[in-house]
DNA sequence: CGTGGAATAGTGATCGTTCACTTTTCCGTC
DNA sequence: GACGGAAAAGTGAACGATCACTATTCCACG
């Protein structure tokens, strides 16, 4: 396979051409200094002439360091948290690591197995997972010097950083809406496999109960606009529901569209809130009330934890809780007067 | 660094424990067969007892195969083509490769250097780039046995698969709009660094001219909704422009919102078309006329080309052109009667 | 001019696997 | 029971770097 290419030159060949020892070339490559200017020149010339490039696999083998960190994602992650990844990558690069996104097909178990494979095969020094890795912590730690971190927001074990604090904004939304007259709510939740979805659902239920409001159900959504659409479409024409709390912006968008399609004004007849503050939600009509989530900060914090772990340093203070902030826009407003339609 | 973990057992230690030679263990690992059942049992027991996991770095070094393909992205790719990536990953996994997404900061040159590094350092067997890699083809091919493929849609050298055919839909849009009375257009383009953006812009200019229509300028956008907003905001109140061709859905969304904000009906006063058929555009109000792009197919085709290249097989037929299809929705309509506002 | 210590450069082992051979074992047959 | 050939297992050398030492060169100084 692909033996069409000429064999790559090695450090020894460079050394021979430069009339030095291979170790001298290695020193040059590692920028270790302590080389005479003339030697440096000869080595550089030899490298240039042969088109030599160090074999990083061989180097990794000897040094037992790969400089690679992996981020493991479910393969069908249509909703790639790109802002989080970008920020995480920036931190990784800053620290001299190469960050790789590995998408793994199959369920959590398959993903977990794969992540473990990556870690224990010496291919990467650390793994950042955006979804839970069931059973991974049971693995014998002896076989690996790698580290893994599961991002709180997506953690499946409810031990993420400030996870419940995160979902607490659901409470703020409901309190605000209740304050402007809303009594009857529906929640469009995300898939149960996502702890962030579960947390929001849980807070929703608790707060509705605490405030003595009425929940007309929790819809099991799949994060897609379509399911948000279907959820509102499924409401009775005379449904008393006046507020929909969607667990993300696409579902909220679908809900808004369904309301408008049946002639319900948003927010005159129905208030809808989303989550994530997508750019498109800001420019939609009506613009979407949503929750600003600092994905960049999440990505940075997660990657910093991972790198600290990999380096054996103490974990950075968990004090930096990513702040979620409610942003009210046009899709929410006062509840309609009972019995009237807007 | 991370010397906290116990050293990992090697094949030799497994062999010693199983009272066989290291080569026998290797045979077992490679599933080469030809082992007595009893030997297999002893090896398996030893592996189990030691918690042995093969060192993939060492294996890669010897076999000169990594089983890894990389996808190189610009780090600030806020618009990660996730559907394309998912499909590409599926193909890669199918073929027994691990696909990694490497995001590289810096400009095209930096990215190109990095991609070259990946290829020539033996870390990956192939690189799929979604953005151009200037100068990469100039590199001496001798030093590498790896392959690289640049996805047409994002190619910078205008030699992608059906690239112009791709942008030709711009012509369809304009022809359609001209057919319903539009004469005065504006194009909101993507950054010039993206060949897809350039192609759309070029077709826009050509078709406007060919049909004898009037272009009131091409706005240099950055793919964001904000710039689409600003573009329409910048039009004069009595601008004759009645149709905006945006190069993607977010910019189109911004344009729609700006129009509505200044009291221009969409599509009564201004028609707006996007590109990519994002789910949110379908559920927006008004729903966005857009261009359906088969990102999955693009991803599949690109990855298949790469794998064929890596394996030294002939490239698969380039016959499978991803089809782009215009979808008309609510954001486009007949041109307003001259001199009247909707 | 000899000496010593820093600055440079070299030598051989090593990382953990697989490859290419060689050797031993096994078993049926003459 | 010796023979032969296949099956099973073993031996030592790679792969291409770096590490841990050792050796040489250089130069200031007594």
């Amino acid at each position: 396979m692909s033996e069409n290419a000429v064999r790559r030159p090695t450090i020894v060949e460079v050394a021979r051409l430069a009339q030095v020892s291979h170790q001298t070339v290695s020193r040059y490559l590692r920028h270790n200094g302590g080389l005479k200017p003339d030697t440096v020149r000869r080595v550089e010339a030899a490298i240039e002439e042969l088109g030599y490039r160090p074999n990083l696999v061989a180097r990794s083998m000897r040094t037992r360091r790969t400089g690679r960190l992996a981020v493991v994602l479910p393969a069908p992650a249509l909703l790639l948290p790109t802002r989080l990844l970008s920020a995480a990558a920036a931190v990784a690069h800053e620290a001299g690591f190469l960050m790789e996104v590995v998408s793994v097909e199959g369920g959590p178990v398959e993903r977990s197995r794969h992540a473990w494979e990556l870690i224990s095969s010496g291919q990467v020094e650390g793994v950042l997972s955006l979804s839970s890795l069931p059973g991974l912590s049971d693995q014998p730690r002896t076989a690996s010097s790698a580290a893994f971190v599961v991002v709180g927001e997506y953690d499946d074990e409810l031990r993420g950083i400030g996870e419940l604090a995160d979902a607490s904004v659901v409470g703020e939304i409901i309190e605000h809406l209740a304050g402007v007259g809303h009594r009857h709510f529906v929640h469009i939740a995300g898939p149960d496999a996502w702890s962030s979805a579960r947390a929001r659902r849980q807070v929703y239920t608790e707060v509705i109960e605490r405030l003595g409001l009425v929940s007309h159900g929790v819809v099991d959504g799949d994060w897609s606009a379509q399911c948000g659409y279907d959820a509102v479409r499924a409401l009775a024409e005379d449904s008393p529901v006046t507020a929909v709390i969607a667990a993300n912006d696409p579902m909220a968008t679908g809900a808004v569209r369904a309301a408008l399609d049946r002639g319900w004004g948003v927010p005159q007849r129905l208030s809808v809130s989303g989550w994530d503050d997508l750019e498109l939600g800001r420019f939609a009509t009506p613009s979407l009330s949503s929750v600003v989530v600092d994905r960049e900060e999440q990505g940075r914090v997660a990657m910093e934890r991972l790198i600290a772990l990999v380096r054996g340093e103490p974990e950075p203070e968990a004090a930096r809780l990513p702040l979620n902030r409610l942003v009210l826009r046009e899709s929410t407003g006062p509840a309609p007067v009972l019995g009237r339609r807007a």
Side-chain angles (χ1 to χ4, degrees), chain A:
Chain A
M1 308 208 177
S2 59
E3 295 303 344
N4 46 341
V6 179
R7 208 180 58 75
R8 301 172 42 189
T10 74
I11 207 175
V12 177
E13 291 160 64
V14 171
R16 187 157 43 225
L17 184 60
Q19 295 190 293
V20 297
S21 78
H22 65 270
Q23 173 61 2
T24 300
V25 178
S26 177
R27 274 197 196 93
Y28 169 80
L29 292 172
R30 307 295 313 286
H31 315 106
N32 270 349
L35 295 193
K36 283 206 256 184
D38 181 59
T39 311
V40 170
R41 218 171 298 120
R42 288 213 311 280
V43 171
E44 280 174 346
I47 287 177
E48 175 70 22
E49 181 174 340
L50 294 176
Y52 168 82
R53 311 248 60 193
N55 181 323
L56 264 44
V57 172
R59 175 180 293 171
S60 289
M61 174 159 176
R62 179 72 246 230
T63 61
R64 297 154 160 290
R65 305 215 51 206
T66 59
R68 297 169 52 210
L69 299 174
V71 176
V72 173
L73 290 179
L78 293 174
L79 43 137
L80 262 189
T82 60
R83 284 162 51 209
L84 188 150
L85 289 180
S86 288
V91 170
H93 291 159
E94 185 67 32
F97 286 94
L98 189 62
M99 185 189 95
E100 292 166 351
V101 178
V102 180
S103 116
V104 179
E105 290 175 295
V109 174
E110 182 68 12
R111 206 156 55 238
S112 184
R113 199 192 54 69
H114 202 118
W116 177 243
E117 198 74 34
L118 275 175
I119 286 184
S120 67
S121 70
Q123 298 226 92
V124 301
E125 299 186 44
V127 167
L128 182 68
S129 175
L130 298 197
S131 53
S132 69
L133 299 176
L136 206 150
S137 42
D138 305 341
Q139 298 282 0
R141 179 116 180 96
T142 59
S144 156
S145 63
F148 69 95
V149 161
V150 177
V151 177
E153 168 77 359
Y154 302 89
D155 185 359
D156 234 50
E157 309 187 12
L158 288 177
R159 61 182 152 94
I161 6 162
E163 175 134 48
L164 292 173
D166 156 57
S168 72
V169 182
V170 171
E172 276 182 53
I173 303 174
I174 298 176
E175 281 167 13
H176 164 76
L177 290 172
V180 293
H182 293 271
R183 288 289 169 273
H184 300 271
F185 293 76
V186 159
H187 178 47
I188 308 179
D192 224 49
W194 298 69
S195 63
S196 56
R198 286 203 311 276
R200 287 167 207 172
R201 168 189 225 138
Q202 186 184 339
V203 172
Y204 168 82
T205 310
E206 285 171 6
V207 173
I208 288 287
E209 182 154 357
R210 173 160 60 77
L211 299 183
L213 302 169
V214 185
S215 172
H216 291 258
V218 172
V219 178
D220 288 314
D222 59 3
W223 297 133
S224 76
Q226 183 67 51
C227 75
Y229 188 88
D230 295 342
V232 168
R233 202 77 225 192
L235 293 176
E237 190 56 35
D238 58 352
S239 169
V241 171
T242 60
V244 172
I245 314 289
N248 76 348
D249 276 2
M251 297 195 294
T253 303
V256 167
R257 179 70 204 212
L260 298 177
D261 275 359
R262 43 195 310 181
W264 294 0
V266 176
Q268 294 77 13
R269 163 68 175 85
L270 194 71
S271 283
V272 177
S273 75
W275 197 290
D276 267 354
D277 189 33
L278 295 189
E279 194 195 20
L280 287 189
R282 284 207 293 283
F283 287 90
T285 311
S287 58
L288 223 49
S289 293
S290 191
V291 176
V292 178
V293 178
D294 195 341
R295 297 274 175 224
E296 283 82 4
E297 181 69 0
Q298 286 187 340
R300 271 191 295 272
V301 169
M303 189 50 83
E304 282 167 6
R305 281 177 64 199
L306 179 61
I307 290 174
L309 222 55
V310 165
R311 291 188 169 154
E313 298 165 358
E315 277 205 39
E317 295 303 313
R320 269 167 64 192
L321 292 184
L323 284 180
N324 292 346
R325 191 166 42 81
L326 176 60
V327 183
L328 295 173
R329 297 207 184 86
E330 299 163 354
S331 69
T332 50
V337 177
L338 240 74
R340 229 191 81 232
R341 292 288 125 76

